[in-house]
Amino acid sequence: MTGVVDDLAGRLVVSCQAYPGEPMRDPRTMSQVAQACVIGGAAAIRVQGLDDIRATAAAIDVPVIGLVKEGDEGVYITPTLDLAVACAEAGAQIVAIDATSRPRPDGLSFADVVAGLKEKHPDVVVMADCGSVDDCIRAEKDGADIIGTTLGGYTPDREKTVGPDYEFARQAVEACEKPVVVEGRVHTLEHARAVMKLGAHAVCVGTAITHPSTITSWFVSAVQDAAVQDA
């Protein structure tokens, strides 16, 4: 377990996810995107869905951070113990789990899920997806191996920032002994450098690398703005 976490130190994690209904919402496509990211130097790949986990784990030789999303509000990132176990059994060496204090569909606490998962899969690494510093502190106490700032700005605890929530990242690093992976709206090279300088163990980038629809829309807006200004 320690080796997997240590291997992420000072490295880039890439999230390869597509939204339902998008052309890239296909396990084979996501596994191919993951392979391309590994060629570029990604130290781990974060993927959503059991089929994506299986396909990606079979295609790459770096750790897979697996999760399952159910719904789009409340606790929806690996919301139950059964899904956490399923992620591990699909090939995820690291399982990402919502670590907020919000009610979970199966009635268990985050601590219960961590304990239940590790009882069945002692070597699995748990990444706690947190939305506040309190979440981070509690998740560390409850057995998480990695603390993620994934949900910063996506719960009522913090306002959503434009770009990374640097304050949240700094506070999480200062509050936790466990490694902190900064994730959430890291859209530029400068963003990535800045969060690493705050003491992050690693940085996770998704949209800016693996979501062409969003990346294209950024360029479209820039081109249209320039055209209007030149008119």
Side-chain angles (χ1 to χ4, degrees):
M1 180 194 306
T2 303
V4 172
V5 177
D6 288 346
D7 287 347
L8 300 182
R11 304 286 302 281
L12 174 71
V13 176
V14 178
S15 180
C16 299
Q17 300 182 45
Y19 301 114
E22 292 185 327
M24 291 175 64
R25 179 60 267 163
D26 177 84
R28 183 168 181 268
T29 300
M30 287 294 97
S31 71
Q32 291 172 325
V33 173
Q35 290 176 69
C37 292
V38 172
I39 290 172
I45 299 293
R46 181 173 164 120
V47 291
Q48 187 280 133
L50 298 179
D51 289 341
D52 288 45
I53 294 170
R54 293 188 191 98
T56 302
I60 64 175
D61 58 2
V62 302
V64 170
I65 302 173
L67 62 134
V68 174
K69 289 181 178 177
E70 284 200 345
D72 55 9
E73 60 183 24
V75 176
Y76 63 87
I77 295 178
T78 321
T80 66
L81 172 58
D82 286 346
L83 286 174
V85 171
C87 286
E89 294 179 349
Q93 295 98 321
I94 304 170
V95 176
I97 304 171
D98 181 307
T100 66
S101 61
R102 298 174 295 181
R104 308 178 68 86
D106 57 7
L108 300 178
S109 67
F110 174 75
D112 294 333
V113 175
V114 174
L117 174 59
K118 292 198 175 244
E119 181 178 358
K120 293 191 175 185
H121 296 280
D123 293 332
V124 76
V125 173
V126 172
M127 178 174 178
D129 284 355
C130 300
S132 70
V133 178
D134 286 344
D135 290 343
C136 297
I137 295 170
R138 185 175 54 253
E140 183 173 78
K141 177 175 173 288
D142 288 344
D145 304 296
I146 298 172
I147 306 300
T149 62
T150 317
L151 292 171
Y154 298 103
T155 73
D157 295 306
R158 301 189 67 85
E159 291 186 8
K160 186 176 180 180
T161 56
V162 176
D165 187 336
Y166 294 117
E167 181 183 16
F168 181 25
R170 178 184 58 76
Q171 291 175 343
V173 168
E174 291 177 352
C176 297
E177 294 183 8
K178 296 289 186 176
V180 174
V181 174
V182 175
E183 179 177 8
R185 302 178 299 281
V186 181
H187 291 162
T188 68
L189 303 182
E190 289 72 21
H191 288 167
R193 291 190 186 102
V195 296
M196 288 302 298
K197 289 180 178 179
L198 291 175
H201 185 72
V203 60
C204 182
V205 178
T207 298
I209 295 176
T210 62
H211 200 246
S213 299
T214 300
I215 299 168
T216 300
S217 73
W218 293 342
F219 279 89
V220 167
S221 294
V223 170
Q224 291 177 339
D225 289 346
V228 169
Q229 291 172 8
D230 291 342

